[in-house]
Amino acid sequence: ASADTVVTNVADEAAEETDEAMEDEEAMEDDAMEDDAMEDEEAMEDVEPAVEEAATAVEEAVADELVIVSMSPSATEMLFAIGAGDLVVAVDNNSNFPPEAPTDEALTSFPVNVEGIVGYGPTHVVSSGPIEGLAEVGIENVILPFAATFDDTYTQIEQLGALTGNVGEAGELVGQIQTDIAAIVDATEAPEGLTYYHELDNTFFSSTSSTFVGQVYSLFGLENIADAADPDGESFGFPQLTEEFLITADPDLIFLADTICCGQTAETVAARPGWESLSAVTNGNVVELNDDIASRWGPRIVDYTQAIADALSEVEVAAAS
Amino acid sequence: MRDVDRVSAVSAEDVSVEIKGTRLLDSVSFEVYDGEWLSIIGPNGAGKSTLLRALAGAAKSVGSIEIAGTPLGELDLRERAKLIAWVPQTPIIPDGMIVTDYVLLGRTPYLNALQSPSDADVEVANETLAELDLMGFAGRKVETLSGGERQRVVIARSLVQDTPIILLDEPTSALDLGHQQDVLELLDQLIAEKGRTIISTMHDLTLAGHFADRLLLLGNDGRVAAHGLAPDVLTEKNISEHYNAEVTVTTEDGTVVVAPKIAKQNKSNTSKPRENQ
Amino acid sequence: MRDVDRVSAVSAEDVSVEIKGTRLLDSVSFEVYDGEWLSIIGPNGAGKSTLLRALAGAAKSVGSIEIAGTPLGELDLRERAKLIAWVPQTPIIPDGMIVTDYVLLGRTPYLNALQSPSDADVEVANETLAELDLMGFAGRKVETLSGGERQRVVIARSLVQDTPIILLDEPTSALDLGHQQDVLELLDQLIAEKGRTIISTMHDLTLAGHFADRLLLLGNDGRVAAHGLAPDVLTEKNISEHYNAEVTVTTEDGTVVVAPKIAKQNKSNTSKPRENQ
Amino acid sequence: MNARPASIRFSWVVGGVAFVLGSIAVALVVGPTSIDRTGVIVESFDAALPFTFESNLADQQVSIVRNLRLPRVTLGLLVGSSLAVSGATFQGIFRNPLADPYLLGVAAGGGLGATIAFTNGLGDGIGAFDPVQIFAFAGALSAVFLAWIMGSAAVTRSSNSGLLSNTSRSATTLVLAGVAIASFYSALQTYLQQRNTQDLRQVYNWLLGGLNTSGWDEVSLLFPVALISIAILASTGRILDVLAVGDEEATMLGMSVTRTRLFLIVVASLLTASAVAVSGLIAFVGLIIPHTVRLLFGSSYRIIVPMSIFVGAGFLVLSDLLARTALSPTELPIGVVTAFFGAPFFVVILRTSIK
Amino acid sequence: MNARPASIRFSWVVGGVAFVLGSIAVALVVGPTSIDRTGVIVESFDAALPFTFESNLADQQVSIVRNLRLPRVTLGLLVGSSLAVSGATFQGIFRNPLADPYLLGVAAGGGLGATIAFTNGLGDGIGAFDPVQIFAFAGALSAVFLAWIMGSAAVTRSSNSGLLSNTSRSATTLVLAGVAIASFYSALQTYLQQRNTQDLRQVYNWLLGGLNTSGWDEVSLLFPVALISIAILASTGRILDVLAVGDEEATMLGMSVTRTRLFLIVVASLLTASAVAVSGLIAFVGLIIPHTVRLLFGSSYRIIVPMSIFVGAGFLVLSDLLARTALSPTELPIGVVTAFFGAPFFVVILRTSIK
Ligand SMILES: Nc1ncnc2c1ncn2[C@@H]1O[C@H](COP(=O)(O)OP(=O)(O)OP(=O)(O)O)[C@@H](O)[C@H]1O
Ligand SMILES: Nc1ncnc2c1ncn2[C@@H]1O[C@H](COP(=O)(O)OP(=O)(O)OP(=O)(O)O)[C@@H](O)[C@H]1O
Ligand SMILES: [Mg+2]
Ligand SMILES: [Mg+2]
């Protein structure tokens, strides 16, 4: 069983329920959404027509009995952002946001303890990969895999909305994210043709434009130096780069997504032998990101986008002065 | 020496063994008949062990070797092991194995891959242990035995194999006088009672001549230097030529006795102990 | 037997060895003087090897053992190895090691941890190889040698160790007549020329009696059964009692000759080969 | 007739069976969720025997017992005994205390196979035909096959050149070929994994091994192979004892050393590969259990091999119990439990049983 | 005097030095960035020798040569020779073809130490005192220390109980204790890693090993230890040959087997632990290089040990070269390169050199 089948199951159960609620739902959404967001929404409906219907039904029929355990930090952030936090009884040890999330340090997903999860009495477990054995004890496994695109994120938020009956909030959230991101991108005027290096850890693992994090930079027309490691964009989404190449490529911007895991800062980067003369270092364009924000595909992609935008506006200053 | 009435147990024709260009054995031919005991003698490095290995199929050789009329190469390993048992000169002693288990290894050719030794097998082992004065050691680890005890255990394993042909490479080198005789007499008895064929190597020429029916002397060049009855092979000339040793050969009670003429030069015979030299 | 003029090389007093409650050696006492050759004899399992091990410090023993006047326990390993060389009954033959390297191991006590053998060391090794008729084998791997060749190589290692005291556990068991004599005469010469002290075990009682100054007979109970000159120890009574073998003891040229009275029952002496039995 | 071959004593068998049954009982009854003990036992009998027993458990409890605990315990028995008996076999074949069932590349091959499956997005199959299992199994066997081809061809050449060596040089050659092949497979696996770091956790998790995601599908895959292979291996102790006298003497005792070794390697590798396919790479068991048995009961493989089956089965069931309960709801990787509790225990045995 | 001990031939030394120098030259000159060859050589001489040489390279190119390539090559030499010589030593000590420098727990201990540092957020040190290095070093040594204590105490007991066994049982006991301790440390490491999955990537990278983040700091840490230890080990071949006759005979030759073994283990472990601390766990080299040397040049440790130094050094420098250039700009884990190219090469040698 994959993510699809589970979703369909939920939808099937719900399909029998009433249609009226759905119209209300749509009316409400119309008010709330801006145009471009709306288009996305419609596109998504083509792909997953059942989700909306299902959502309505669940809201009325299932919501009261819903008990959710989240084993995915991104899903946790989504659940709380759509106001379904009260349905969540426990989240795994890596779900450290939002602060009110019931993080259980003992709840680990690698490896996972099925009978241990049963102890929380959930009806649904949200995870990024399948958890075998849940179905056998009558628990739904909702699988929200790694998102490859923004649309995946929106779909997953909608899915959770449908599941928890918070369809409205989910729709609003998706709209809000889209609006915010569009606004940030509009407001940022980055110089053309800037290159960047997104650092995942201090052994120079990076991510290319074809990855989820890479897309965000593409919004601003930035050029990823790691793309050289994967010209056809099919493999090596996260290549480990040679230090010598990094130095020769001399990126305009360095984004550190390893400030928490590996304690990297602009200073530590500048202190690396051979790095002191890189343009990003000499121009102060080493940007410290929050690892979590830069690796999750939840609602905080807005914060992530904002961080990049902030950095870009400073580049302008640096370049101008 | 061929006799129409006798059945050939082992026959070797022009057997040579070569290793990396060195010839260890050169065109050795002989025939051993059922119920016979052939003793291979010769100086160190003559190729005695190599010859036994070749007969056992453990060393690659050219020439023809037939076991009970069948070319050696046509026997599969299991058939071969039911025909020939081999006591190596320096057997490998497995760590931690008890004597009974070790001796029972001799039953290997009679057991299928997944079969365990039966009670009958155990009984054979026990009888053989008793015959070789080893009952007291049955439960001991082989590696804790004394040199002579261990050597008898290895012989026991070959007897448990219950083959018509037994190859023994210096089987009594670590045995004391009494056990030497016991073992050789036991082998002699096996010939008499069960018609076994024995080919052995031995450095004690008196014993070799006494127990074997025939002797085969290998020279340093890996060729047969002499072959025949003890009085014909164990001559002072043969021995001084191939062993580089001075001996006196006498015959006592029909047994050829080879006694070294031992050092007289710097040793004052029985005037021992030497005082303050 | 004490002599004020003689210097004690090895002295054992009430030496016993016990292992898991079994007594292998029981209150053995004797003294060997500089330049003497003591031969330890006794049936298989009497404890001969155990005694040599105890003297060499390789087996834990109770009682007192003194080497050149110093208690064994007070010698550190290196000093001990400069005083005593030991030829084990079943030496471990390292895989792939060439003869020269193996023999050079005898120089270990003279080299610091990180030192390589000097040219002088290599020369000692070469001389010893030559003395033991082994020059042709210098570059060969030890494991490819024949039984007798290998045994001489092990003896060579012990001689290269250049110690005043040499313990040899059945050093000639795999040797042919000629090499047996050569080796024993070489040892005798070492006593004469360099004042070495030798303690050996041997199953050939005639040779043991001929070459050694004194004999020590260990009984099956691990106790000293007899100790003294060859004619006193090698008596028919002693031998039949402890070896469980019938022998005739004669004296030729002052050498005590022990000859087994060999099987007469089922063997028709020289009427060989047996025909169609 | 006072001389008797070394063999399993009846009391050891009884002890072994008791240990296994005890482990099963405890592992069924104890779990993160507390369930009425009688009910668990009744349900287990109901599941295991062709008779019907009625328990008073709630539906979900019944389901926990039947779908989570029972398959896990069963798989623990199978995997534990498989690894231990294969380990004993490999130690016998190679006469090397460091030999374990993964020696000739089963682990590296399984790892590569599983990684190929994961990185090609085949990792989320659930049900009887899990691509990861199939790829892991195929990878494991291919590595052993290559190791054999490389290692034994070399041996054939060497024995042509003259006398057989006393020491089992052929076994050493095979081991070295196995190590080289295993390294090669590991290199490929690492490379693939590095190209697909998004699958890192999945792969890593698989490499760690465990029974936590196992259900009846896994049991039904492993069961037939394990039953047959373990039955075969259980009676190969005598053969392994024959190999102890070296290739040359064993050959003269009528044993085709090369064929025997191949046969044993094939059976043990099939078994290990199947166990690896359903449970990943569980360390420690295959190496240490046979040594423990040797130290406790004796060094004949006629004892080591069968006793390893009991001890391995019970040990893994108990380890898995600890893996899911010790820090519940945290699941501990089973390799952590086996080594964390097993290693000190083994050291104690090592220090006390040297005789 | 025609009998001569087995020893290194002059031509082998010349060949070895040429191989190492050739590897260095190629590794300095070739890289993801193409830099004028003469310039690279001139800069390298300038950096290595107390004289001044002027090259016509751009600043950035100078920096690449001096800060990236030179330290990497130097570290490759040091780590490669360290692992190979330690591996040869361990194989000699334990007379086991499967022995490698990680046998007694250096790898597991280093892994645990590094993981402790990472999971406590100490992974960010830059400069001479990197906590990860210190923790890895300490962890590695503590594991070996424990293994020795556990393994040799058992031996002392056993030799009290009577005659020494001919086979080196004490070495086997030590190996088994080492394996148990290594498993225990690995268990702890895995546990820590599992509790801190956010550090998984870092830990995993460290475990894979590599020279890609190495600079002069690492060189200056390893250099003194490596120089002294390698110099000591280079001349221990004779001792290792003595150990070949077994504990009992070696003792009678005046060698204190226990003390010698301890000494060798201490030196080799210090060396390995230092190499591990700066470069993580690089597989294959320590196990396979000594075997390659044995197959090519002969089985006396007086040959194996020193030749392993040359071959190990050159091999790792070349492997690292491939790691950073083969798929440039992607960096390959060095363990992938060593095994991917080394394993087939080794199998060829294994199959052709059996005599
Ligand atoms: N691999 C080899 N390379 C060269 N020569 C060898 C090899 N193996 C054996 N030999 C030589 O072949 C000769 C015959 O050996 P073999 O073991 O058959 O002698 P033997 O007659 O049994 O001697 P011994 O009485 O000492 O046991 C010996 O000189 C030995 O050195
Ligand atoms: N670990 C042990 N447990 C019990 N008995 C032992 C042990 N080790 C040795 N023995 C016994 O001690 C006795 C003496 O052994 P030793 O090797 O000293 O005999 P030996 O006189 O050298 O005999 P051989 O002439 O056969 O070489 C033997 O009977 C042997 O079985
Ligand atoms: Mg021979
Ligand atoms: Mg003895």
Side-chain angles (χ1 to χ4, degrees), chain B residues 140 144 146-149, chain C residues 19 24 44-50 89 203:
Chain B
R140 280 266 296 280
T144 68
S146 83
E149 290 158 359
Chain C
I19 178 163
L24 310 189
N44 291 142
K48 303 182 292 300
S49 302
T50 306
Q89 190 171 7
H203 279 305

Side-chain angles (χ1 to χ4, degrees), chain D:
Chain D
M1 290 301 91
N2 54 359
R4 307 205 314 116
S7 59
I8 290 209
R9 296 209 196 121
F10 184 66
S11 59
W12 297 346
V13 176
V14 172
V17 170
F19 174 57
V20 172
L21 290 180
S23 310
I24 296 176
V26 178
L28 284 175
V29 165
V30 181
T33 334
S34 89
I35 305 180
D36 173 56
R37 284 186 206 160
T38 329
V40 172
I41 300 295
V42 171
E43 275 304 325
S44 306
F45 276 112
D46 185 51
L49 299 178
F51 311 105
T52 312
F53 298 88
E54 289 287 343
S55 74
N56 52 355
L57 300 184
D59 277 2
Q60 199 186 41
Q61 292 183 322
V62 170
S63 181
I64 287 175
V65 172
R66 299 183 75 118
N67 293 318
L68 297 185
R69 291 191 191 171
L70 263 176
R72 238 178 126 149
V73 168
T74 315
L75 210 63
L77 291 175
L78 294 176
V79 171
S81 49
S82 299
L83 293 178
V85 78
S86 301
T89 304
F90 271 81
Q91 285 175 11
I93 294 172
F94 295 107
R95 295 276 140 195
N96 191 316
L98 294 175
D100 76 357
Y102 301 153
L103 186 63
L104 293 187
V106 170
L112 176 61
T115 306
I116 291 175
F118 283 126
T119 55
N120 286 289
L122 303 171
D124 44 6
I126 286 187
F129 289 97
D130 184 342
V132 173
Q133 290 171 2
I134 294 165
F135 276 64
F137 182 75
L141 287 189
S142 75
V144 177
F145 177 76
L146 253 185
W148 176 263
I149 296 293
M150 294 302 159
S152 65
V155 172
T156 314
R157 284 199 37 163
S158 85
S159 65
N160 275 341
S161 67
L163 305 178
L164 285 169
S165 158
N166 260 356
T167 53
S168 184
R169 185 163 301 153
S170 57
T172 304
T173 308
L174 184 52
V175 163
L176 290 179
V179 169
I181 298 298
S183 309
F184 188 74
Y185 271 69
S186 290
L188 293 179
Q189 189 260 326
T190 308
Y191 172 71
L192 271 185
Q193 187 172 329
Q194 210 232 4
R195 278 179 75 112
N196 302 277
T197 38
Q198 71 276 18
D199 301 314
L200 179 62
R201 279 187 190 189
Q202 249 183 321
V203 172
Y204 183 77
N205 212 28
W206 188 89
L207 291 179
L208 270 184
L211 307 171
N212 54 315
T213 55
S214 319
W216 290 114
D217 291 332
E218 280 79 11
V219 171
S220 62
L221 269 179
L222 180 56
F223 193 74
V225 183
L227 206 67
I228 297 170
S229 308
I230 292 177
I232 292 174
L233 292 182
S235 35
T236 56
R238 190 185 60 78
I239 306 184
L240 294 173
D241 279 347
V242 177
L243 287 176
V245 295
D247 289 10
E248 189 176 38
E249 289 182 51
T251 307
M252 292 310 304
L253 288 170
M255 167 173 286
S256 166
V257 173
T258 311
R259 228 187 302 150
T260 305
R261 212 176 261 147
L262 178 59
F263 170 74
L264 292 173
I265 289 175
V266 166
V267 177
S269 298
L270 264 174
L271 181 59
T272 311
S274 312
V276 165
V278 299
S279 63
L281 305 182
I282 298 177
F284 196 80
V285 178
L287 178 63
I288 295 296
I289 294 295
H291 281 299
T292 308
V293 170
R294 182 195 326 275
L295 292 168
L296 290 178
F297 300 106
S299 56
S300 166
Y301 281 92
R302 291 223 308 289
I303 296 171
I304 296 174
V305 171
M307 286 309 287
S308 292
I309 298 175
F310 293 122
V311 179
F315 178 68
L316 205 65
V317 169
L318 287 184
S319 297
D320 185 52
L321 171 65
L322 284 172
R324 61 192 153 92
T325 56
L327 292 181
S328 169
T330 301
E331 173 91 17
L332 286 169
I334 192 156
V336 169
V337 179
T338 51
F340 187 81
F341 294 97
F345 181 69
F346 175 70
V347 168
V348 168
I349 292 180
L350 188 64
R351 291 174 59 111
T352 52
S353 70
I354 307 271
K355 282 159 204 152

